Amino acid sequence: MARRHRLIRVDPSAVWDVLADGHRYAEWVVGTSRSEPVRGQWPHKDAALRFQVPIGPLKLVNETVVRHCEEGVSLELEAHAGVLGTARIAIELRPWGEECLVIVDEHPLRGAGGRLHNVGFDALIQLRHRAMLARLAKLCEGLERDARDTPRPVPGVEAAGRA
């Protein structure tokens, strides 16, 4: 079982907003190039999204299904990876002051990944999680920064240049 955590310097609700957007999945999940919800209402239980994994000139199409969702707190996914089998990925969000501690726990369920699972395999998953959590942090923190930097209209004041 590979377990990793990272402190993301935004409120847990900002992290949840990214996790709850099935179109953004490919932006933070390492190895994917495109994602789109295909069944149900992501991230509710039994909802699914399809994602692509580019391998050279080929694009493998796989699916991830929500097995459990506690809005704003936890998301448990079953990722289907073709011949590699399936994996369970649990993501937990914990408030840490005004920031968010994100904990990811993954282990293979079926297929080649399950049969070949060992300490070395866990080490590879750890490296993938490190990169995945770094992407998630960069995405969430960037969105938060953009929201803070976007000028907000002041009530009763016309925008410059408008009559």
Side-chain angles (χ1 to χ4, degrees):
M1 183 169 13
R3 190 170 165 97
R4 186 150 200 94
H5 66 275
R6 179 172 178 136
L7 186 64
I8 298 182
R9 300 187 187 294
V10 297
D11 185 83
S13 65
V15 177
W16 183 259
D17 288 346
V18 172
L19 296 177
D21 185 344
H23 294 283
R24 298 204 95 141
Y25 183 87
E27 293 179 46
W28 57 273
V29 175
V30 173
T32 60
S33 65
R34 188 169 168 264
S35 61
E36 62 182 345
V38 291
R39 273 194 322 278
Q41 187 177 354
W42 186 267
H44 296 128
K45 188 175 190 268
D46 296 325
L49 59 79
R50 184 175 297 131
F51 62 93
Q52 290 183 354
V53 178
I55 299 177
L58 302 174
K59 287 189 175 151
L60 302 177
V61 177
N62 293 306
E63 191 172 273
T64 295
V65 179
V66 177
R67 295 299 179 206
H68 176 79
C69 173
E70 187 176 341
E71 192 170 332
V73 177
S74 66
L75 185 60
E76 290 184 22
L77 308 172
E78 184 174 332
H80 299 261
V83 296
L84 294 177
T86 61
R88 174 197 160 272
I89 301 126
I91 304 168
E92 181 183 350
L93 307 182
R94 290 186 189 170
W96 198 263
E98 293 182 14
E99 299 173 337
C100 181
L101 182 64
V102 180
I103 302 163
V104 179
D105 178 359
E106 177 176 348
H107 67 270
L109 293 173
R110 294 184 278 284
R115 287 189 301 277
L116 300 173
H117 187 227
N118 59 35
V119 175
F121 197 73
D122 274 350
L124 292 174
I125 293 172
Q126 287 281 348
L127 291 173
R128 182 171 173 267
H129 285 176
R130 179 182 294 167
M132 182 178 77
L133 287 169
R135 283 183 176 194
L136 183 60
K138 184 177 180 181
L139 182 60
C140 294
E141 291 167 0
L143 291 172
E144 184 79 9
R145 193 171 22 266
D146 290 347
R148 282 194 314 264
D149 294 342
T150 302
R152 298 199 185 343
V154 177
V157 177
E158 292 283 330
R162 285 201 286 185

